Amino acid sequence: MSAVDDGGVFHRARGRTLDAFSAEKEREWKGPFYFIQGADPQFGLMKAWSVGDCDKGGDEWGPEIRLTEQAVQAINRLNPKPKFFVLCGDLIHAMPGTPWRQEQTEDLQRVLKELDREIPLVFVSGNHDIGNVPTAESIAEFCQTWGDDYFSFWVGGVLFLVLNSQFFYDASRCPALKQAQDQWLDEQLSIAGERQCQHSVVFQHIPLFLQSIDEDDDYFNLTKSVRQEVADKFTKAGIKAVFSGHYHRNAGGTYQDLDMVVSSAIGCQLGKDTHGLRVVVVTAEKIVHRYYSLDELSEKGIEDDLMDLMKKK
C-alpha cells in the first residue's frame, strides 16, 4: 500500500523530534501537568478476534471507529487540556502488505483529526503497524504515514523517549536500523543519566514485562535477556516509567525504581478490562497514573485527587 497523507493535520515526528514542542522552551520545569496515554485502537481486531481469524478476519471496524471517536470526544472535553495524547502502537490491525490496511489507516486518521488542535498527538509504532519482523520498507511506510518510528521530545522539563520496540523483538530483516536506534538511545539515555531533566519517560508498544522482570517469555513481553538489558539501561539512566500497550489488558510492575505500565486497549479487550485511556499526572516528585474506562472519562472527567496534584507548584 502507498502511505496515506492526512494533509498535514498531525504534528509528525521528523528528525528524531516532535515539532509540536520547542526543546528550548520546554526544557525547564514549570510545574505539574498531565497527558493522556492510549493504546491499540487497532481497527479491525474486534471482528478478527470474534471470528477467530486474526490473520484475515479484520474486514470490519465500525466498533473501533465508535470507540476511538468516544476517546477523542472525552479528551476534547477535559479542562485543563492535557499536554499531549500518546497512542502506544497498533494503530490499525492490518499488517503491512495485507488487505484493508489503507482503508483502516484513512478511517483512523479521519477520527483523530477531530482531536482538539491544541493537543498534539504522539504516535508510537506497534507490531501491526510495521510487522512482527519489520523491514526497511515497512518502517519507511510508517514514517511517511505517521512520523519517525523513534524520537524524543521535551515537555515541561521532562524528557520523553519514543521507541520502536520491534527492534527489541526481531530486527533480523533490518539490523542496521536497529543499530541506529541503539546508538541514538544510548545518546538520549546519557542526557537522562546526567539528570538534566526533571524526569525521563519511555513510550513503546511491547512491554518489557507484564508483572515481573523475571517472568517467563511470552508473546506479550520481551525475552528475558533483552528485557533485562534494556531495563538495566533504563534504570541506570534514571528513567522513571515505561508506558506500553500490546497486551489489551491492564498490567505492570516495578523493577528497582522503574515503573512498567501496561495499558489496556481503546479497541479490542482480551481480558476483563474496559475500553479506556490512562491519565498520567507529572509532579516535581513523581508520576501518578490511573486508567479510566471511556465511559468514566466521558461522564465524570478526571477525579479531584488527580486534579489537586496539578495545583501544587
Side-chain angles (χ1 to χ4, degrees):
M1 123 180 179
S2 59
V4 179
D5 183 10
D6 63 54
V9 171
F10 305 121
H11 290 277
R12 287 189 183 84
R14 298 285 190 231
R16 305 300 174 200
T17 191
L18 192 64
D19 67 0
F21 300 105
S22 163
E24 285 186 19
K25 294 179 181 177
E26 295 289 345
R27 283 180 189 271
E28 297 300 318
W29 176 254
K30 301 181 182 72
F33 64 89
Y34 81 104
F35 63 87
I36 301 293
Q37 184 222 2
D40 302 271
Q42 204 160 341
F43 282 23
L45 177 58
M46 291 174 78
K47 169 71 179 293
W49 188 257
S50 69
V51 301
D53 186 354
C54 285
D55 291 330
K56 300 176 183 174
D59 60 341
E60 297 175 16
W61 47 92
E64 287 97 335
I65 288 176
R66 291 188 288 275
L67 288 162
T68 308
E69 286 175 340
Q70 185 182 3
V72 167
Q73 291 161 7
I75 293 169
N76 284 346
R77 283 198 287 269
L78 294 173
N79 184 28
K81 299 179 195 299
K83 287 287 189 181
F84 59 87
F85 173 30
V86 57
L87 274 171
C88 281
D90 280 3
L91 308 175
I92 58 172
H93 180 63
M95 290 273 194
T98 64
W100 316 115
R101 187 167 169 84
Q102 182 148 345
E103 293 87 346
Q104 290 173 4
T105 300
E106 289 172 349
D107 279 347
L108 178 58
Q109 289 184 338
R110 176 177 55 78
V111 173
L112 293 178
K113 283 178 185 177
E114 298 305 312
L115 186 71
D116 187 320
R117 295 290 180 88
E118 294 182 24
I119 304 172
L121 263 162
V122 180
F123 296 110
V124 182
S125 63
N127 58 304
H128 281 261
D129 304 313
I130 59 176
N132 284 320
V133 186
T135 65
E137 292 74 22
S138 68
I139 292 172
E141 181 204 294
F142 177 89
C143 293
Q144 191 174 346
T145 302
W146 299 107
D148 285 348
D149 57 324
Y150 62 92
F151 56 95
S152 64
F153 61 99
W154 290 84
V155 175
V158 178
L159 176 62
F160 292 96
L161 306 181
V162 173
L163 300 182
N164 180 342
S165 57
Q166 291 313 118
F167 289 148
F168 299 141
Y169 179 80
D170 188 343
S172 59
R173 298 179 68 186
C174 54
L177 296 180
K178 177 193 186 297
Q179 187 177 5
Q181 177 177 268
D182 287 346
Q183 182 178 348
W184 173 90
L185 177 58
D186 287 344
E187 293 167 358
Q188 297 295 313
L189 292 177
S190 71
I191 295 171
E194 291 165 8
R195 304 296 192 273
Q196 297 173 8
C197 47
Q198 190 75 21
H199 305 294
S200 47
V201 172
V202 168
F203 299 121
Q204 61 187 55
H205 179 62
I206 303 178
L208 298 175
F209 54 86
L210 300 174
Q211 295 174 317
S212 169
I213 190 75
D214 55 4
E215 69 195 18
D216 291 339
D217 293 351
D218 187 278
Y219 171 78
F220 292 107
N221 60 21
L222 295 176
T223 61
K224 281 186 180 181
S225 60
V226 171
R227 88 175 73 122
Q228 188 71 58
E229 179 186 356
V230 175
D232 285 340
K233 274 188 176 185
F234 287 172
T235 54
K236 183 180 179 182
I239 298 289
K240 268 284 177 62
V242 177
F243 290 89
S244 69
H246 191 51
Y247 192 41
H248 294 256
R249 285 152 284 204
N250 286 312
T254 57
Y255 173 64
Q256 297 181 18
D257 295 327
L258 179 70
D259 191 8
M260 180 66 246
V261 185
V262 185
S263 292
S264 196
I266 293 171
C268 187
Q269 300 298 308
L270 301 184
K272 297 180 180 179
D273 293 297
T274 54
H275 311 281
L277 296 166
R278 191 172 295 275
V279 174
V280 186
V281 178
V282 182
T283 74
E285 296 82 25
K286 58 188 178 180
I287 297 171
V288 180
H289 52 86
R290 187 171 301 160
Y291 188 84
Y292 286 84
S293 74
L294 295 181
D295 288 342
E296 287 173 333
L297 200 61
S298 299
E299 294 164 12
K300 300 177 183 177
I302 301 172
E303 290 162 296
D304 289 344
D305 62 325
L306 292 184
M307 296 297 287
D308 289 343
L309 287 174
M310 286 182 275
K311 296 173 184 174
K312 297 175 182 176
K313 294 299 180 185

